[in-house]
Amino acid sequence: MLVLTPDTSGSLTALDLLAHTVRRVAASPAELVNAPPSDIVIVDGQRDLAQAKALCAILRSTGNAAPVFVALTEGGLAAVSHEWGIADVVLTTAGPAELDARIRLALGRAAPEEETTVISTSGLVIDEASYAARVQGRPLDLTFKEFELLRFLAANPTRVFTREQLLSEVWGYDYYGGSRTVDVHVRRLRAKLGDMEQLIGTVRNVGYRFNASDGEMTDAATK
Protein backbone atom coordinates (compact mmCIF):
# COMPACT_ATOMS: atom_id res chain seq x y z
CA MET A 1 0.00 0.00 0.00
CA LEU A 2 1.36 3.38 -1.04
CA VAL A 3 0.59 6.59 0.88
CA LEU A 4 1.41 9.90 -0.79
CA THR A 5 1.65 12.39 2.05
CA PRO A 6 3.38 15.62 3.10
CA ASP A 7 4.02 13.93 6.44
CA THR A 8 5.97 10.74 5.79
CA SER A 9 6.62 10.24 9.49
CA GLY A 10 3.23 8.87 10.34
CA SER A 11 0.11 10.15 8.59
CA LEU A 12 -2.95 7.91 8.86
CA THR A 13 -1.55 6.02 11.82
CA ALA A 14 -4.56 3.67 11.78
CA LEU A 15 -2.93 1.97 8.78
CA ASP A 16 -0.09 0.81 10.99
CA LEU A 17 -2.54 -1.26 13.02
CA LEU A 18 -3.50 -3.32 9.97
CA ALA A 19 -1.70 -6.24 8.37
CA HIS A 20 -0.92 -4.30 5.19
CA THR A 21 2.59 -3.32 4.18
CA VAL A 22 2.58 0.49 4.07
CA ARG A 23 5.08 2.64 2.18
CA ARG A 24 4.90 6.41 2.70
CA VAL A 25 6.47 8.74 0.16
CA ALA A 26 6.39 12.49 -0.21
CA ALA A 27 3.29 13.82 -1.97
CA SER A 28 4.93 15.22 -5.09
CA PRO A 29 4.94 14.36 -8.80
CA ALA A 30 8.69 13.67 -8.68
CA GLU A 31 8.25 10.96 -6.06
CA LEU A 32 5.68 9.16 -8.19
CA VAL A 33 8.35 8.34 -10.78
CA ASN A 34 10.20 6.02 -8.44
CA ALA A 35 7.25 4.95 -6.31
CA PRO A 36 6.92 1.17 -5.88
CA PRO A 37 3.90 -0.65 -7.34
CA SER A 38 0.99 -1.02 -4.95
CA ASP A 39 -2.46 -2.54 -4.77
CA ILE A 40 -3.89 0.60 -3.11
CA VAL A 41 -2.79 4.24 -3.32
CA ILE A 42 -3.85 6.71 -0.63
CA VAL A 43 -3.39 10.41 -1.33
CA ASP A 44 -3.21 12.48 1.85
CA GLY A 45 -5.28 15.57 1.15
CA GLN A 46 -5.84 16.87 4.65
CA ARG A 47 -3.42 19.81 4.23
CA ASP A 48 -3.58 20.69 0.53
CA LEU A 49 -6.69 19.75 -1.46
CA ALA A 50 -5.41 21.28 -4.70
CA GLN A 51 -2.22 19.25 -4.56
CA ALA A 52 -4.19 16.09 -3.73
CA LYS A 53 -6.45 16.60 -6.76
CA ALA A 54 -3.42 17.18 -8.98
CA LEU A 55 -1.78 13.98 -7.74
CA CYS A 56 -4.97 12.04 -8.50
CA ALA A 57 -4.92 13.42 -12.05
CA ILE A 58 -1.27 12.41 -12.47
CA LEU A 59 -2.04 8.90 -11.24
CA ARG A 60 -4.80 8.58 -13.84
CA SER A 61 -2.61 9.93 -16.64
CA THR A 62 0.21 7.50 -15.86
CA GLY A 63 -2.09 4.49 -16.17
CA ASN A 64 -2.19 3.61 -12.49
CA ALA A 65 -4.50 0.63 -12.15
CA ALA A 66 -4.65 0.53 -8.36
CA PRO A 67 -7.68 2.01 -6.57
CA VAL A 68 -6.93 5.52 -5.32
CA PHE A 69 -8.20 6.81 -1.98
CA VAL A 70 -8.04 10.38 -0.75
CA ALA A 71 -7.68 10.95 2.98
CA LEU A 72 -9.46 14.12 4.08
CA THR A 73 -10.65 16.02 7.09
CA GLU A 74 -14.40 16.29 7.36
CA GLY A 75 -14.25 19.84 6.04
CA GLY A 76 -12.57 18.66 2.84
CA LEU A 77 -15.36 16.30 1.83
CA ALA A 78 -17.30 19.09 0.11
CA ALA A 79 -14.46 19.61 -2.38
CA VAL A 80 -14.42 16.06 -3.74
CA SER A 81 -16.36 15.15 -6.88
CA HIS A 82 -16.36 12.49 -9.60
CA GLU A 83 -13.81 14.60 -11.48
CA TRP A 84 -11.15 13.40 -9.06
CA GLY A 85 -11.49 9.90 -10.52
CA ILE A 86 -10.92 8.15 -7.22
CA ALA A 87 -12.23 4.93 -5.75
CA ASP A 88 -13.12 6.25 -2.29
CA VAL A 89 -12.53 8.89 0.34
CA VAL A 90 -11.61 8.23 3.94
CA LEU A 91 -11.58 10.58 6.89
CA THR A 92 -8.24 10.99 8.61
CA THR A 93 -10.00 10.14 11.88
CA ALA A 94 -11.16 6.73 10.57
CA GLY A 95 -10.24 3.77 12.73
CA PRO A 96 -8.44 0.65 11.52
CA ALA A 97 -11.65 -1.40 11.15
CA GLU A 98 -13.22 1.16 8.81
CA LEU A 99 -10.02 1.54 6.80
CA ASP A 100 -9.68 -2.21 6.41
CA ALA A 101 -13.30 -2.58 5.28
CA ARG A 102 -12.93 0.17 2.67
CA ILE A 103 -9.71 -1.36 1.39
CA ARG A 104 -11.28 -4.81 1.06
CA LEU A 105 -14.26 -3.41 -0.82
CA ALA A 106 -12.07 -1.41 -3.19
CA LEU A 107 -9.85 -4.38 -3.93
CA GLY A 108 -12.91 -6.53 -4.55
CA ARG A 109 -14.33 -4.02 -7.02
CA ALA A 110 -10.99 -3.71 -8.79
CA ALA A 111 -10.46 -7.45 -9.13
CA PRO A 112 -11.05 -8.87 -12.62
CA GLU A 113 -14.29 -10.72 -13.11
CA GLU A 114 -13.99 -14.45 -12.84
CA GLU A 115 -14.44 -16.30 -16.07
CA THR A 116 -17.47 -18.49 -16.25
CA THR A 117 -17.68 -21.66 -18.28
CA VAL A 118 -20.15 -22.75 -20.88
CA ILE A 119 -20.06 -26.49 -21.45
CA SER A 120 -21.35 -27.57 -24.84
CA THR A 121 -21.42 -31.22 -25.78
CA SER A 122 -23.67 -33.73 -27.50
CA GLY A 123 -26.60 -31.34 -27.85
CA LEU A 124 -26.32 -30.19 -24.23
CA VAL A 125 -25.38 -26.62 -23.28
CA ILE A 126 -24.68 -25.70 -19.65
CA ASP A 127 -24.11 -22.07 -18.69
CA GLU A 128 -22.56 -21.86 -15.23
CA ALA A 129 -23.04 -18.09 -14.99
CA SER A 130 -26.81 -18.25 -15.26
CA TYR A 131 -27.30 -21.78 -13.90
CA ALA A 132 -29.14 -22.61 -17.10
CA ALA A 133 -29.06 -25.79 -19.16
CA ARG A 134 -30.55 -26.69 -22.53
CA VAL A 135 -30.70 -29.93 -24.42
CA GLN A 136 -31.17 -29.71 -28.19
CA GLY A 137 -32.27 -26.11 -27.63
CA ARG A 138 -34.91 -27.04 -25.05
CA PRO A 139 -34.51 -25.43 -21.60
CA LEU A 140 -34.21 -27.84 -18.71
CA ASP A 141 -36.05 -27.06 -15.49
CA LEU A 142 -33.48 -28.32 -12.98
CA THR A 143 -33.13 -28.04 -9.24
CA PHE A 144 -29.81 -26.75 -7.93
CA LYS A 145 -28.46 -30.23 -7.17
CA GLU A 146 -29.70 -31.62 -10.46
CA PHE A 147 -27.87 -28.82 -12.25
CA GLU A 148 -24.68 -29.40 -10.23
CA LEU A 149 -24.78 -33.14 -10.87
CA LEU A 150 -25.32 -32.70 -14.61
CA ARG A 151 -22.61 -30.00 -14.78
CA PHE A 152 -20.09 -32.17 -12.94
CA LEU A 153 -20.70 -35.21 -15.10
CA ALA A 154 -20.64 -33.20 -18.34
CA ALA A 155 -17.39 -31.50 -17.30
CA ASN A 156 -15.77 -34.93 -16.94
CA PRO A 157 -17.00 -36.85 -20.00
CA THR A 158 -16.60 -40.62 -20.18
CA ARG A 159 -15.07 -40.76 -16.68
CA VAL A 160 -16.88 -43.14 -14.36
CA PHE A 161 -17.76 -41.94 -10.86
CA THR A 162 -18.96 -44.04 -7.99
CA ARG A 163 -21.99 -42.89 -6.03
CA GLU A 164 -19.72 -42.05 -3.11
CA GLN A 165 -17.52 -39.87 -5.33
CA LEU A 166 -20.54 -38.02 -6.67
CA LEU A 167 -21.85 -37.47 -3.15
CA SER A 168 -18.49 -36.00 -2.18
CA GLU A 169 -18.11 -33.80 -5.29
CA VAL A 170 -21.69 -32.58 -5.66
CA TRP A 171 -23.20 -32.76 -2.19
CA GLY A 172 -20.03 -32.20 -0.20
CA TYR A 173 -18.21 -34.08 2.51
CA ASP A 174 -20.64 -32.92 5.18
CA TYR A 175 -23.62 -34.59 3.51
CA TYR A 176 -24.96 -37.43 5.63
CA GLY A 177 -27.54 -38.88 3.25
CA GLY A 178 -27.14 -42.26 1.62
CA SER A 179 -25.89 -43.03 -1.86
CA ARG A 180 -29.45 -43.64 -2.99
CA THR A 181 -29.74 -39.85 -3.23
CA VAL A 182 -27.54 -40.04 -6.33
CA ASP A 183 -29.77 -42.66 -7.93
CA VAL A 184 -32.86 -40.53 -7.31
CA HIS A 185 -31.26 -37.44 -8.88
CA VAL A 186 -29.98 -39.42 -11.87
CA ARG A 187 -33.46 -40.82 -12.46
CA ARG A 188 -34.96 -37.32 -12.34
CA LEU A 189 -32.28 -35.96 -14.65
CA ARG A 190 -32.89 -38.68 -17.21
CA ALA A 191 -36.61 -37.97 -17.12
CA LYS A 192 -35.97 -34.29 -17.81
CA LEU A 193 -33.46 -35.07 -20.57
CA GLY A 194 -36.17 -37.07 -22.33
CA ASP A 195 -34.91 -38.46 -25.64
CA MET A 196 -31.36 -37.59 -24.56
CA GLU A 197 -31.46 -39.60 -21.34
CA GLN A 198 -28.64 -41.78 -22.66
CA LEU A 199 -26.23 -38.90 -21.96
CA ILE A 200 -26.06 -40.23 -18.40
CA GLY A 201 -24.81 -43.77 -18.57
CA THR A 202 -24.80 -46.45 -15.90
CA VAL A 203 -21.75 -48.63 -15.33
CA ARG A 204 -23.05 -51.70 -13.57
CA ASN A 205 -21.74 -52.19 -10.03
CA VAL A 206 -19.64 -49.02 -10.31
CA GLY A 207 -21.58 -45.80 -10.85
CA TYR A 208 -22.38 -43.25 -13.53
CA ARG A 209 -20.69 -41.38 -16.36
CA PHE A 210 -21.52 -38.79 -19.02
CA ASN A 211 -21.70 -40.30 -22.49
CA ALA A 212 -20.32 -37.50 -24.64
CA SER A 213 -20.02 -38.06 -28.35
CA ASP A 214 -16.41 -38.35 -29.51
CA GLY A 215 -14.80 -35.01 -30.27
CA GLU A 216 -17.81 -32.95 -29.18
CA MET A 217 -16.61 -31.81 -25.75
CA THR A 218 -15.66 -28.13 -25.69
CA ASP A 219 -15.27 -25.62 -22.88
CA ALA A 220 -15.81 -22.00 -23.91
CA ALA A 221 -14.75 -19.29 -21.45
CA THR A 222 -16.83 -16.13 -21.55
CA LYS A 223 -16.96 -13.05 -19.38
Side-chain angles (χ1 to χ4, degrees), residues 116-205:
T116 56
T117 302
V118 175
I119 301 173
S120 179
T121 177
S122 308
L124 177 70
V125 177
I126 299 174
D127 187 345
E128 292 183 351
S130 61
Y131 277 88
R134 303 188 306 276
V135 62
Q136 295 183 325
R138 174 174 58 86
L140 295 174
D141 183 15
L142 305 178
T143 66
F144 177 75
K145 286 302 182 185
E146 289 169 353
F147 178 89
E148 287 295 300
L149 177 59
L150 182 61
R151 181 199 62 77
F152 180 76
L153 288 171
N156 299 276
T158 71
R159 180 177 171 184
V160 180
F161 293 95
T162 67
R163 292 167 177 81
E164 290 71 22
Q165 287 175 318
L166 290 172
L167 280 174
S168 173
E169 295 291 341
V170 178
W171 279 262
Y173 288 102
D174 56 349
Y175 181 75
Y176 293 103
S179 60
R180 179 162 174 74
T181 297
V182 176
D183 297 330
V184 171
H185 279 73
V186 167
R187 185 168 65 250
R188 291 173 179 170
L189 268 178
R190 284 173 170 163
K192 292 180 178 181
L193 287 169
D195 293 341
M196 300 296 288
E197 65 174 331
Q198 73 278 2
L199 288 176
I200 301 179
T202 300
V203 179
R204 188 178 299 276
N205 298 324

Side-chain angles (χ1 to χ4, degrees), residues 50-144:
Q51 182 190 47
K53 184 176 181 180
L55 286 173
C56 291
I58 292 172
L59 286 167
R60 292 199 309 275
S61 66
T62 56
N64 168 69
V68 177
F69 285 27
V70 175
L72 300 167
T73 62
E74 189 167 355
L77 291 175
V80 181
S81 69
H82 72 281
E83 295 176 352
W84 288 51
I86 59 177
D88 204 351
V89 295
V90 60
L91 291 177
T92 54
T93 55
E98 179 181 343
L99 270 175
D100 194 44
R102 289 179 180 274
I103 290 168
R104 290 197 312 271
L105 289 171
L107 291 175
R109 290 192 295 266
E113 295 182 6
E114 293 184 2
E115 291 186 344
T116 56
T117 302
V118 175
I119 301 173
S120 179
T121 177
S122 308
L124 177 70
V125 177
I126 299 174
D127 187 345
E128 292 183 351
S130 61
Y131 277 88
R134 303 188 306 276
V135 62
Q136 295 183 325
R138 174 174 58 86
L140 295 174
D141 183 15
L142 305 178
T143 66
F144 177 75

